[in-house]
Amino acid sequence: MKIKQTIVAMFCIAILAVSCKKEQTEIATLAYQTASDSLIILKMDKELLLSPQITGKANRYQWIENGKEVANTATYTFKKADPGIYNIGFTVENEKGKTTLNYRVKVTGPYGEGVLLLSYTDETGMGNSSISHLDEDGTIQTNIFARANPGSFLSPEANNLYHFNNQYYITSSSGPNFLTVVDAQTMKLNYVVSKSGVSDVTYFATTDGKTGYVNVTNRRKTGLYPVDLTNKTISSTLLEGSKEVTLIPINTVNQTLVTAAGKQLIKVENGKVIVVNSYKENVSGVVKSLDNNYWVGVQGSATNKAKFVKLDKSNNGIDSVELEAKFKVPANGVLTSGGKDEYLYWQETSRGVICRFNTLTKKVEEFVDHAAAGILFATCWKVNPKNGDLYIADSPDIFSGGDPYSNLYIFDKTGKLKKEVKKAGNQISDIVFPQ
């Protein structure tokens, strides 16, 4: 009997030993707390607890942040005062080996999300420009540049809020700072360009942060003028071949500046103007639709219908769609898109109607009738690339001598008014969606 009990006991011990040995040699597994944890957006100075799910035995923990070890615990509290992209790796180790889970955290400044609204003037209609911020909760905060830079102000008559390489370039027609460059996350002032050979600076663009170009409202000096961002000067010399450039935003296509110049679509490469294509009528602009496709708008006339032309990677036309005669796609209708869906938008300025073209179905429709929506004079319209909503800034008293305030109307992709923001700025001239 004792022998039998001894054998049974030894058998149980053997099973337990095998079981323990098996448990000890299994590699630990890791999983995110939620599926979205691989890419996290967090505002600066906010804490984030990273607590991955661990299955199995772990003898050692290690957190690596941008190549540097920061903790040896099962969880890690992340907090940063500086905006940027942070790559964080978490590793667990036991006798069997190591397992790693990676996080990517985008830390944004106070203005790295939401909507930015550039005001042409102040509440008097004669003073400095400003920027408003509409946050994700719908709260509007005005004059954020002055808040971020006490004692400093934007120059009057701001037209363009251009984003490149985590900076905004803000133009001013009258100066003294014809170009003001700020940090895109915090609005902190980086530098200004106050030396300019031309006035009436309207739109700006750059593809390298070293050299840029502006166009101007001065009809005697139409065209593109080079901007030296290193020496902080705007040239008085017209870029040869750009005299017919239309006063609309300067586009960037495949890291190249592309814009309308009368009946031609031109691009700027190595400081030279190259004609991309010529058309029978004036070019209204070039914008991006889904899948990185680019479309050119060509204005209609009494003899030629308006049309949209799709470009391939070599800027050759590969599709062309004529519109009904009532649609003119005027250059001052400012062709725009969110760049991530099938819709292109513009204003039929003679009728006060925002229209849109569907690049998939090739259909055009009247989208928002200003009069029916209560919009008296639209000064800017842009599409939010995150959801396709159309934002229209209305400055109702712009010609009456009344208050220069602007109201903001937000329409969803069906044309339904989602929200109206009263007094969002003063003669809003540009709308930007931080990304």
Side-chain angles (χ1 to χ4, degrees):
M1 183 69 177
K2 290 182 179 180
I3 295 174
K4 184 177 180 181
Q5 290 176 337
T6 301
I7 293 172
V8 171
M10 291 178 63
F11 180 72
C12 291
I13 291 171
I15 292 176
L16 181 63
V18 171
S19 175
C20 291
K21 183 177 181 181
K22 181 179 180 182
E23 181 180 345
Q24 291 173 355
T25 57
E26 285 182 343
I27 192 168
T29 60
L30 296 174
Y32 299 113
Q33 283 181 294
T34 64
S36 61
D37 282 350
S38 59
L39 175 59
I40 303 169
I41 297 178
L42 182 73
K43 285 193 174 182
M44 56 190 287
D45 292 323
K46 297 293 184 181
E47 287 190 351
L48 171 67
L49 177 63
L50 298 177
S51 181
Q53 298 176 6
I54 305 172
T55 303
K57 182 180 178 181
N59 296 333
R60 182 171 180 266
Y61 309 103
Q62 184 183 44
W63 292 90
I64 300 292
E65 181 184 300
N66 285 0
K68 180 180 178 181
E69 183 177 87
V70 291
N72 297 109
T73 54
T75 64
Y76 174 52
T77 299
F78 175 88
K79 180 180 178 180
K80 284 291 175 288
D82 298 318
I85 301 294
Y86 295 85
N87 296 301
I88 304 167
F90 174 62
T91 300
V92 295
E93 183 178 1
N94 59 24
E95 306 89 80
K96 187 66 175 179
K98 299 179 179 180
T99 305
T100 299
L101 192 67
N102 294 308
Y103 295 85
R104 186 169 179 263
V105 183
K106 179 182 179 182
V107 177
T108 64
Y111 311 115
E113 296 289 319
V115 184
L116 296 172
L117 309 164
L118 179 65
S119 289
Y120 183 81
T121 184
D122 65 4
E123 63 275 5
T124 70
M126 301 177 64
N128 295 313
S129 305
S130 66
I131 302 174
S132 300
H133 179 251
L134 182 67
D135 69 17
E136 303 93 298
D137 298 325
T139 302
I140 190 77
Q141 186 180 30
T142 59
N143 213 7
I144 60 173
F145 174 84
R147 294 171 188 266
N149 303 279
S152 297
F153 301 91
L154 291 176
S155 293
E157 301 176 13
N159 292 287
N160 189 203
L161 187 60
Y162 182 86
H163 181 266
F164 176 78
N165 197 23
N166 205 36
Q167 294 187 123
Y168 287 116
Y169 298 76
I170 308 161
T171 63
S172 166
S173 291
S174 58
N177 299 326
F178 295 95
L179 200 61
T180 301
V181 185
V182 301
D183 182 89
Q185 299 292 323
T186 65
M187 286 294 146
K188 291 287 187 180
L189 177 64
N190 288 337
Y191 65 89
V192 299
V193 176
S194 56
K195 185 177 181 181
S196 177
V198 290
S199 59
D200 303 315
V201 170
T202 305
Y203 294 108
F204 167 85
T206 182
T207 57
D208 60 10
K210 299 176 181 178
T211 300
Y213 295 90
V214 294
N215 58 22
V216 300
T217 56
N218 190 329
R219 292 184 178 181
R220 294 175 298 174
K221 292 188 174 183
T222 58
L224 296 177
Y225 291 83
V227 182
D228 185 335
L229 295 170
T230 301
N231 294 313
K232 303 176 179 57
T233 59
I234 300 176
S235 175
S236 61
T237 303
L238 174 71
L239 182 65
E240 186 178 354
S242 71
K243 185 174 178 55
E244 300 301 320
V245 161
T246 311
L247 194 63
I248 58 176
I250 305 169
N251 304 95
T252 302
V253 177
N254 299 323
Q255 302 302 310
T256 301
L257 297 185
V258 178
T259 192
K263 296 180 180 181
Q264 294 179 327
L265 184 68
I266 65 170
K267 64 179 179 180
V268 180
E269 287 187 348
N270 301 317
K272 303 290 184 182
V273 168
I274 300 172
V275 176
V276 176
N277 288 309
S278 296
Y279 304 93
K280 293 181 179 180
E281 301 294 342
N282 290 331
V283 175
S284 302
V286 54
V287 290
K288 185 172 70 170
S289 67
L290 76 172
D291 299 329
N292 288 318
N293 289 316
Y294 286 89
W295 291 77
V296 176
V298 180
Q299 186 171 308
S301 69
T303 55
N304 294 299
K305 291 182 178 180
K307 64 181 178 180
F308 285 102
V309 181
K310 183 179 179 181
L311 304 178
D312 64 12
K313 292 183 179 180
S314 299
N315 296 317
N316 296 314
I318 57 174
D319 194 4
S320 180
V321 182
E322 285 192 341
L323 309 185
E324 299 173 42
K326 69 176 182 178
F327 298 105
K328 299 302 181 186
V329 196
N332 63 351
V334 187
L335 185 63
T336 188
S337 73
K340 294 184 178 180
D341 63 21
E342 66 271 32
Y343 294 111
L344 316 179
Y345 296 82
W346 72 96
Q347 183 189 180
E348 289 288 322
T349 50
S350 63
R351 297 187 288 126
V353 178
I354 295 288
C355 300
R356 72 178 179 183
F357 173 71
N358 187 318
T359 60
L360 296 180
T361 65
K362 314 296 174 63
K363 301 296 184 182
V364 62
E365 63 179 330
E366 295 182 355
F367 187 65
V368 174
D369 185 302
H370 289 183
I375 298 171
L376 296 182
F377 190 85
T379 50
C380 184
W381 45 94
K382 287 286 187 68
V383 182
N384 189 337
K386 294 180 180 179
N387 55 19
D389 287 350
L390 175 67
Y391 286 59
I392 303 177
D394 176 36
S395 303
D397 293 340
I398 193 170
F399 294 122
S400 67
D403 290 341
Y405 69 88
S406 295
N407 297 325
L408 184 67
Y409 292 77
I410 305 172
F411 299 87
D412 67 17
K413 292 175 74 169
T414 69
K416 179 182 178 181
L417 179 64
K418 290 177 62 175
K419 187 179 183 66
E420 181 182 354
V421 183
K422 297 287 189 180
K423 296 190 175 182
N426 296 293
Q427 293 182 18
I428 292 173
S429 55
D430 206 355
I431 303 171
V432 172
F433 306 94
Q435 298 185 59

